[in-house]
Amino acid sequence: MWIAFTLFAAFMQAFRNALQSKLSANVSVLGVTLARFILAGPIALLYLLLLYWFIPTTIPDFSWIFLSYICAAALMQIIATALMVKLFKLQNYAVGAGLAKSEAVMAALIGSWFFGSTLAPLGWLGVLLGTIAVFILSGVKSIRQLNLPTVLLGLACGTAFALTSLWVREASITLLLPFPHSAAWVLLLVISLQTILLSLYVFCYQKSTFSHLWHHRKTTSAVSLTSCFGSIGWFSAMSLQHVAFVKTVGQIEVFFTLLIAVLFLKQPPKKQDTIGLILIAGAAILVMLPQ
C-alpha cells in the first residue's frame, strides 16, 4: 500500500513542480510557496470527513508532543518549499534540484541518528543508489558545474524536506489512530497551519502577492490541487514506511517528469536520462525487497 501511495504522490508532484516553475515567472517566492497551500486546507478537510463517514473511528487527543511535531513539520516545509522555488530562479537549476533530491539519504542519516529509524545494508544501498541516480539526471558532467551557493542551497533544501518528512511520520505515529485517519489528521493540521502563517506574513509584507495569485488563479488552483493530492500520498506512505524508503521509491517522479517532457514538450530523452532511470529502478527494487 505504501508503494501505491508513493507512486501517486510522485506523479502529482511532477505536475506540481512544472506548474510551480511556470508560476514562479510571475509571482514571488513566497507567493508560489503560498500557492501550494492556499486551497489545500478545504480539500484536506473534505478528505478527513469522508474517511470518518466511511470508516468511523474516535476523535484523537492532541498531545503537546504531537502538536510540536505538527508545528515543526509545517515550518520546515515552508522553508524547504521556499528554497526549492529559489532554485527555480538559478541558472543551473537542474544541478541544484538534483542536490535537493538528497532528501532520501538525508532522511536516512538523520532518521538513524535522531529518530531511531534503522536501515538494513540492502536498504542503505538502495537509498545511496537512488541519490546517485538523481544526481546523474540533474545533468552534472564535471565538477566545474558545481558552485558553492548552488550546492549549499540544494543540500539545505534536501535536508529541510527530510526533516519535514521525519516529523510528519513521528506525528502520525504519536497520534495513535488507525491508518489512514492518522495521516489525514496530520495533513489537515500541517496544511492549515502553513496557510495561516504564510497568509499572515504575505498580508503584512507582500500584499500585492494576493493580486498576483488571483491574476494567475488557474495556475494557482492547479498548484494547490496537485500539491494537496501529492501530500495525501506522501503523508499516507510515510505513516506506513521509513521516510528514506518512501523518498527513494518517490524518485520515480523523475520518470514522470521525463514522460511529460517527451509527450507534451516533444523533448527526446538523453542517454544520461536512461542511465539514471535504470539506477532509480534498481534503487526502488532494493528498498522494496524484504529487509
Side-chain angles (χ1 to χ4, degrees):
M1 189 179 291
W2 73 267
I3 295 171
F5 277 117
T6 301
L7 293 177
F8 173 74
F11 182 73
M12 287 291 106
Q13 186 164 299
F15 273 101
R16 186 206 69 200
N17 286 344
L19 291 166
Q20 275 188 312
S21 183
K22 178 183 177 181
L23 191 62
S24 68
N26 303 292
V27 181
S28 68
V29 171
L30 274 177
V32 178
T33 306
L34 178 59
R36 279 190 60 179
F37 312 116
I38 199 165
L39 298 178
I43 300 171
L45 177 60
L46 178 61
Y47 173 62
L48 182 63
L49 291 174
L50 287 173
L51 284 179
Y52 272 89
W53 178 268
F54 290 106
I55 315 172
T57 189
T58 58
I59 302 296
D61 294 322
F62 301 124
S63 67
W64 285 109
I65 295 176
F66 170 79
L67 293 175
S68 67
Y69 286 138
I70 292 294
C71 292
L75 289 171
M76 193 55 65
Q77 191 173 37
I78 290 174
I79 294 170
T81 305
L83 290 173
M84 177 60 82
V85 174
K86 195 168 182 63
L87 282 170
F88 288 153
K89 299 179 180 294
L90 295 180
Q91 187 175 4
N92 48 356
Y93 155 70
V95 176
L99 289 167
K101 290 298 181 180
S102 61
E103 178 185 1
V105 72
M106 294 306 298
L109 291 171
I110 298 171
S112 62
W113 290 339
F114 301 106
F115 291 83
S117 301
T118 57
L119 301 183
L122 203 61
W124 276 108
L125 180 60
V127 171
L128 292 173
L129 190 63
T131 303
I132 293 169
V134 173
F135 197 67
I136 290 173
L137 286 163
S138 69
V140 177
K141 295 179 181 178
S142 71
I143 198 70
R144 293 179 182 177
Q145 287 183 263
L146 300 177
N147 62 73
L148 189 59
T150 303
V151 170
L152 292 178
L153 189 61
L155 291 176
C157 183
T159 302
F161 274 124
L163 284 169
T164 300
S165 301
L166 288 165
W167 281 324
V168 162
R169 175 169 169 78
E170 290 299 312
S172 185
I173 294 171
T174 304
L175 202 53
L176 300 176
L177 274 183
F179 175 83
H181 296 73
S182 57
W185 271 110
V186 173
L187 174 68
L188 175 62
L189 294 176
V190 167
I191 284 178
S192 299
L193 180 57
Q194 288 169 330
T195 305
I196 292 170
L197 290 175
L198 272 173
S199 296
L200 286 173
Y201 187 89
V202 170
F203 180 78
C204 292
Y205 297 100
Q206 293 185 8
K207 286 185 181 180
S208 61
T209 297
F210 289 114
S211 61
H212 294 156
L213 289 174
W214 177 253
H215 183 71
H216 300 280
R217 53 189 176 274
K218 288 185 178 180
T219 306
T220 299
S221 299
V223 167
S224 200
L225 186 67
T226 52
S227 178
C228 186
F229 285 162
S231 293
I232 290 173
W234 290 126
F235 282 37
S236 299
M238 290 184 295
S239 68
L240 294 171
Q241 183 56 275
H242 288 300
V243 172
F245 289 175
V246 171
K247 292 302 181 179
T248 298
V249 175
Q251 287 165 349
I252 198 70
E253 170 201 343
V254 177
F255 168 75
F256 295 132
T257 302
L258 290 174
L259 194 63
I260 292 170
V262 171
L263 295 180
F264 297 102
L265 303 180
K266 306 302 180 182
Q267 297 175 353
K270 302 173 185 176
K271 182 180 179 181
Q272 66 190 44
D273 296 335
T274 305
I275 295 172
L277 288 174
I278 291 171
L279 290 176
I280 285 178
I285 291 170
L286 286 173
V287 299
M288 288 189 289
L289 289 174
Q291 302 294 314

